[in-house]
Every structure is written in structure tokens, then in C-alpha cells.
């Protein structure tokens, strides 16, 4: 074979490899907060209506499932399922379902009632995704692992996954047709209040299991999706490590730091992280020696009701390269609960790469985006970020001053609780370490916060 023909042969192989890259899709749904008693006089626990003397406690301003003072009604869940069934891509591979299936208003009800509600949601997802696997993760509002849950979800999970799920609520999916491994964690074991249900013992077992899975993935040259209800990092409204933050399903400071250590140590095999819990559309970055090495994308909730905030219901469809797990893009859909003109319809909110002008989905590109979001003088991307954060629920972006912008930046780029507190309390030094040219407004805020402390 001549050198020229050999070069042509190699080029053809590379072309075939590129053209055979399989582009697939998966849905990410989270925080349904299903309230079976949404319209019940007797069990109406979750809704707080501002109503007049002639208004029924269950009259909803915007229709059967468009009240953002309540958790998800059954019609809202049916609406979401019908939309996802309608939007099925031909190459849809699986569904990530990241917990808080049930409304917190059900926490004092019996396990039987809770399991029946989970079964109802499981059934509708099973009918919606009859040809796909659904990979559920447990949230802090959900029943603990049990034989009944195993039986319910055995249609989706292989035997080995069911064994670890029954004992600890976590499992891994090793795919035969690709090098992508899905690792579903039980973040409840690492959250505040995990002492109940033998949390400390199971939490330790999950750490050992996770490390072994990551070692195995590296040795087999696999790429990993980390999936859980709650992931590392801090919400903007919370004081990192506070009892309020940890008690609401957030990771404890110790667990948060340890998970970040694992993510840094195995960033070469972690292709992406997918979480819910915060009822917000945002992202988090993990750094090693000042370099962005991993990203986490947080999907907004289906319920329009949140802790301290409200948003429109959201559903997310990811586009990815199924052989490697590389995320290429996602499309965010939403239902406008504030629309009072006729029936509300699910519609596209935005496409990630187009919306933010990203060339790719990577830790480096999202780090660049974070830097642009915090640019107080150019509020274009900040406005887009804050609009998406609450899924286009009405918000006055002008209310976010320099200090507000800085807190958002710290939340995105400082996943460690201590680093987040330091970033918020010392904005001048935090900003100077990453960008030499800071705005006068942010420097003024730094002086004010130091004086006040």
C-alpha cells in the first residue's frame, strides 16, 4: 500500500468513526412533588391561597394545575407526560427521574398512602416511556428503599441494581452497547437528618461503593454520569452548612466536601452530573488547582411551588453522544402558569448552546459563561440567566445589584461550603483572584460587607 493510499485509508476510517457517532436523547424530570389531595377538603395541606371571603379554598386562579401556591396536581403530571410522549425523539434512550416524587405535605401520612402515590406516578411514566428505561433517584420527600419499591421499579432496573437499591437506594447501570455508565446516588443518606433509617451506616457504605464503581469505570475506560436528587454546592438563598440548608435535603458540609473530593479525583471519567432539588435552572462548577474540571447541570422542578421561591414547571430534553456520554446540548421546555388566556401549553423556553452562545458543553465553556454572567456592566447574559433560573416566572432583573450578582457567581463557582462563605464575605479578593478588572460597584460592596462584619 502506497503512502498516499494508506493516508486515504486512515482518513476514511476516521470519517466512518465520525459518521457512526450515535446521537441520542434523554429526558431529565425532577421534583414532581405530586399532591394526591390537591383538590381535597380533608387533606389540603400544601396550598396557601390568598382568597376572598366568597372564594373556595380550592378555587385555583389559573385553572386546574396552574396555581403556583400548590404542588403538582394529577392533571399537571398528566399534562407533562402527554407532552413528553408527543415529543419523543426516535433515538430517546432513557429518562433520569431525580426524586422528590411526593409533595412535602404528605410527610406525616402512612407509608402505604405514599407508596400508592408513587405507584400512580410510576404507572404513568411506564405508559409514557413503554420502550425506554426510567432511572429513578430518591429525594428527601420520598419513601425509603423497600421491597415494594423494588417490585415497582423492577421493570426498569437490572437485578444487580435492584440489590443495591433495596439495601441503600443507590445503583449503577452498565450499558452493553456503549462506554457510558450511569451512577445513581441516594443523596438522602448524605443529607442533614440522615441518622434516621440507619443513615450513617448506609451513608458510609455508599461512599465505599461509589469509590469502587469509579475505580472500575476508569479501569474499563468508561465514562460516568453522576445522578442524584441533590448534588454538591450551595443555593444562593442559604447560608452554607446551616441547619436550614442541611435539613431540607442538602448535603451536610462533610458529605459535600467528600463528594467534591471524589469528583476532582475522578473528573477524567465523569462525563456529567445531573441533579434536581433546588427548583431552579442553574449549574455548578468544580475546580482543581484553579482549573475547571467538572460541571453539574441542575434541572428545574415540575412543581411550580418551591421553598422560598416559585417558578414555572419545567422539563428538560438532553442531546448526547451515546457512545461516550458527551453532552452536546439540551432543550428546556416550560408551562407558563401565569398565563390566564385560555389553555396553557408546554413550549420551548430555550436551547442551551444557542441561548448562552456556547460552542460546547464543557467545564471550560461553562466557566467562561460564569465569568460573563458576573460582568455587572454587561447585563445581557445575567438577564438571561436570571430569567431561566425561575423558568421565566416574572422577576425584576433590575433588583439584582452588584452584591446579588456576586452571590450568584459564588454559588456557581464555589461548590465547597467554606469556599462559598469566603467568596461571599470577601468579594474583592475572590474576584481579584480570577479577574484583574473588577467593577467599582463590586469593590464598594466588598468594603461595605467587610465593615458590617
Amino acid at each position: 500500500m502506497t503512502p498516499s493510499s494508506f493516508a486515504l485509508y486512515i482518513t476514511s476510517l476516521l470519517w466512518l468513526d465520525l459518521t457512526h457517532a450515535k446521537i441520542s436523547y434523554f429526558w431529565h424530570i425532577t421534583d414532581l412533588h405530586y399532591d394526591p389531595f390537591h383538590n381535597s377538603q380533608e387533606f389540603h395541606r400544601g396550598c396557601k391561597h390568598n382568597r376572598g371571603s366568597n372564594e373556595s379554598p380550592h378555587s385555583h386562579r389559573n385553572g386546574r394545575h396552574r396555581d403556583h401556591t400548590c404542588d403538582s396536581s394529577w392533571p399537571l403530571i398528566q399534562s407533562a407526560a402527554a407532552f413528553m410522549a408527543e415529543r419523543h425523539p426516535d433515538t430517546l434512550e432513557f429518562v433520569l427521574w431525580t426524586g422528590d416524587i411526593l409533595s412535602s405535605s404528605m410527610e406525616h401520612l402512612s407509608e402505604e398512602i405514599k407508596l400508592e402515590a408513587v405507584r400512580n406516578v410510576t404507572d404513568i411514566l411506564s405508559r409514557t416511556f413503554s420502550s425506554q428505561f426510567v432511572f429513578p433517584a430518591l429525594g428527601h420527600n420520598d419513601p425509603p428503599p423497600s421491597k415494594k419499591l423494588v417490585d415497582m421499579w423492577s421493570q426498569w432496573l437490572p437485578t444487580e441494581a435492584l440489590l443495591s437499591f433495596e439495601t441503600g437506594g443507590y445503583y449503577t447501570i452498565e450499558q452493553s452497547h456503549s462506554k457510558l455508565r450511569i451512577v445513581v446516588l441516594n443523596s438522602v443518606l448524605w443529607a442533614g437528618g440522615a441518622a434516621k433509617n440507619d443513615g450513617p451506616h448506609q451513608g458510609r457504605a455508599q461512599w465505599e461503593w461509589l469509590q469502587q464503581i469509579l475505580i472500575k469505570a476508569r479501569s474499563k475506560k468508561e465514562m460516568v454520569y453522576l445522578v442524584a436528587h441533590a448534588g454538591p454546592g450551595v443555593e444562593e438563598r442559604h447560608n452554607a452548612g446551616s441547619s436550614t440548608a442541611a435539613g431540607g435535603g442538602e448535603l451536610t458540609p462533610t458529605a459535600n466536601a467528600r463528594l467534591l473530593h471524589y469528583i476532582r479525583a475522578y473528573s477524567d471519567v465523569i462525563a456529567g452530573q445531573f441533579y434536581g432539588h433546588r427548583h431552579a435552572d442553574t449549574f455548578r462548577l468544580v475546580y482543581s488547582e484553579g482549573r475547571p474540571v467538572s460541571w453539574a447541570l441542575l434541572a428545574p422542578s415540575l412543581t411550580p411551588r418551591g421553598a422560598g421561591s416559585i417558578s414555572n414547571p419545567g422539563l428538560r430534553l438532553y442531546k448526547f453522544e451515546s457512545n461516550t456520554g458527551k453532552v452536546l446540548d439540551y432543550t428546556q421546555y416550560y408551562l407558563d402558569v401565569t398565563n390566564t388566556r385560555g389553555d396553557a401549553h408546554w413550549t420551548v423556553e430555550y436551547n442551551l448552546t444557542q441561548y448562552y452562545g456556547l460552542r460546547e458543553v464543557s467545564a471550560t465553556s461553562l466557566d467562561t459563561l460564569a465569568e460573563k454572567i458576573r460582568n455587572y456592566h454587561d447585563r445581557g447574559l445575567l438577564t438571561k440567566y436570571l430569567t431561566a433560573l425561575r423558568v421565566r416566572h416574572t422577576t425584576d432583573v433590575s433588583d439584582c445589584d452588584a452584591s446579588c450578582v456576586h452571590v450568584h457567581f459564588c454559588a456557581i463557582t464555589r461548590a465547597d461550603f467554606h469556599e462559598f462563605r469566603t467568596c461571599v464575605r470577601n468579594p474583592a479578593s475572590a474576584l481579584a483572584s480570577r479577574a484583574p478588572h473588577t467593577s467599582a460597584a463590586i469593590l464598594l460592596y466588598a468594603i461595605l460587607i467587610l465593615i458590617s462584619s
Side-chain angles (χ1 to χ4, degrees):
M1 183 179 291
T2 65
S4 59
S5 60
F6 179 74
L8 182 61
Y9 171 70
I10 293 298
T11 302
S12 65
L13 288 180
L14 291 172
W15 181 84
L16 284 171
D17 185 57
L18 288 172
T19 56
H20 280 78
K22 184 181 177 185
I23 306 303
S24 300
Y25 297 84
F26 66 87
W27 284 103
H28 183 188
I29 56 177
T30 190
D31 294 87
L32 278 64
H33 286 242
Y34 169 44
D35 181 1
F37 309 108
H38 187 274
N39 292 314
S40 166
Q41 291 279 354
E42 183 179 358
F43 291 102
H44 200 271
R45 304 166 184 265
C47 302
K48 297 178 181 179
H49 295 280
N50 297 317
R51 56 185 184 273
S53 58
N54 297 324
E55 188 177 357
S56 160
H58 312 294
S59 63
H60 303 299
R61 292 186 297 276
N62 298 321
R64 291 183 302 165
H65 56 262
R66 284 187 271 163
D67 191 335
H68 55 243
T69 63
C70 297
D71 273 328
S72 297
S73 65
W74 187 244
L76 175 56
I77 292 175
Q78 287 177 311
S79 168
F83 176 76
M84 288 188 290
E86 183 182 293
R87 299 291 300 180
H88 264 191
D90 292 336
T91 54
L92 183 72
E93 290 216 0
F94 54 84
V95 179
L96 301 181
W97 181 21
T98 52
D100 269 10
I101 304 164
L102 303 181
S103 169
S104 58
S105 64
M106 298 182 67
E107 62 182 339
H108 299 300
L109 299 180
S110 70
E111 289 301 304
E112 288 73 20
I113 292 176
K114 292 178 183 177
L115 284 168
E116 185 59 30
V118 173
R119 184 180 301 279
N120 289 339
V121 180
T122 298
D123 287 346
I124 196 171
L125 290 179
S126 180
R127 293 192 300 271
T128 303
F129 303 108
S130 57
S131 301
Q132 289 80 29
F133 291 104
V134 177
F135 301 131
L138 293 174
H140 58 284
N141 288 339
D142 301 327
S146 66
K147 182 64 166 61
K148 290 182 178 179
L149 271 182
V150 165
D151 292 342
M152 206 180 297
W153 292 342
S154 61
Q155 60 184 306
W156 296 321
L157 305 182
T159 302
E160 186 177 356
L162 290 170
L163 289 173
S164 62
F165 176 83
E166 186 173 1
T167 58
Y170 49 86
Y171 59 92
T172 184
I173 301 295
E174 187 175 1
Q175 305 199 89
S176 59
H177 62 283
S178 76
K179 286 292 186 178
L180 174 62
R181 176 187 289 269
I182 297 172
V183 177
V184 178
L185 301 171
N186 182 2
S187 61
V188 179
L189 297 178
W190 297 335
K196 63 182 181 179
N197 299 322
D198 198 25
H201 170 73
Q202 291 295 343
R204 287 193 296 271
Q206 184 173 220
W207 286 122
E208 295 169 1
W209 174 86
L210 175 60
Q211 185 171 28
Q212 291 303 313
I213 291 296
L214 292 172
I215 290 172
K216 183 178 181 180
R218 179 179 281 165
S219 68
K220 297 181 69 173
K221 298 184 176 2
E222 296 172 333
M223 298 304 292
V224 169
Y225 281 176
L226 288 185
V227 180
H229 175 61
V234 181
E235 185 173 358
E236 295 82 354
R237 300 189 307 271
H238 289 161
N239 176 25
S242 70
S243 59
T244 301
E250 300 281 348
L251 305 185
T252 64
T254 301
N256 188 79
R258 187 168 182 177
L259 182 55
L260 288 173
H261 170 74
Y262 278 52
I263 292 168
R264 292 186 184 103
Y266 295 94
S267 61
D268 58 311
V269 299
I270 297 174
Q273 302 172 64
F274 307 90
Y275 308 115
H277 178 56
R278 302 196 189 282
H279 298 215
D281 181 344
T282 184
F283 63 99
R284 297 292 182 262
L285 292 165
V286 179
Y287 297 82
S288 179
E289 299 180 350
R291 182 175 62 90
V293 294
S294 188
W295 52 259
L297 294 175
L298 283 65
S301 61
L302 181 65
T303 179
R305 184 170 181 257
S309 65
I310 55 179
S311 64
N312 284 311
L315 300 167
R316 181 171 290 179
L317 182 64
Y318 279 92
K319 179 182 180 182
F320 75 115
E321 208 283 294
S322 62
N323 292 327
T324 64
K326 179 175 176 55
V327 170
L328 303 175
D329 215 340
Y330 71 68
T331 301
Q332 184 65 45
Y333 298 94
Y334 81 112
L335 184 72
D336 186 358
V337 298
T338 64
N339 175 23
T340 58
R341 299 187 301 273
D343 292 334
H345 298 284
W346 289 93
T347 187
V348 173
E349 182 189 3
Y350 70 91
N351 171 273
L352 176 65
T353 56
Q354 293 177 6
Y355 190 65
Y356 288 121
L358 303 178
R359 291 186 177 181
E360 62 174 358
V361 181
S362 67
T364 301
S365 66
L366 290 172
D367 174 65
T368 301
L369 174 61
E371 292 285 354
K372 292 178 179 178
I373 287 172
R374 76 149 181 199
N375 184 349
Y376 188 72
H377 292 304
D378 181 5
R379 296 175 68 86
L381 282 176
L382 171 67
T383 299
K384 286 187 172 185
Y385 174 74
L386 294 179
T387 300
L389 184 70
R390 299 301 170 199
V391 197
R392 290 202 180 185
H393 191 272
T394 304
T395 181
D396 189 352
V397 177
S398 64
D399 287 343
C400 192
D401 59 11
S403 61
C404 164
V405 174
H406 181 66
V407 170
H408 280 288
F409 175 75
C410 292
I412 292 170
T413 61
R414 304 296 195 277
D416 178 82
F417 288 1
H418 173 72
E419 290 180 3
F420 172 79
R421 285 196 299 267
T422 301
C423 180
V424 171
R425 289 178 59 83
N426 302 285
S429 60
L431 292 171
S433 68
R434 296 176 62 84
H437 304 294
T438 56
S439 71
I442 294 180
L443 289 174
L444 176 60
Y445 169 68
I447 295 170
L448 291 175
I449 197 169
L450 289 172
I451 291 174
S452 64
S453 62

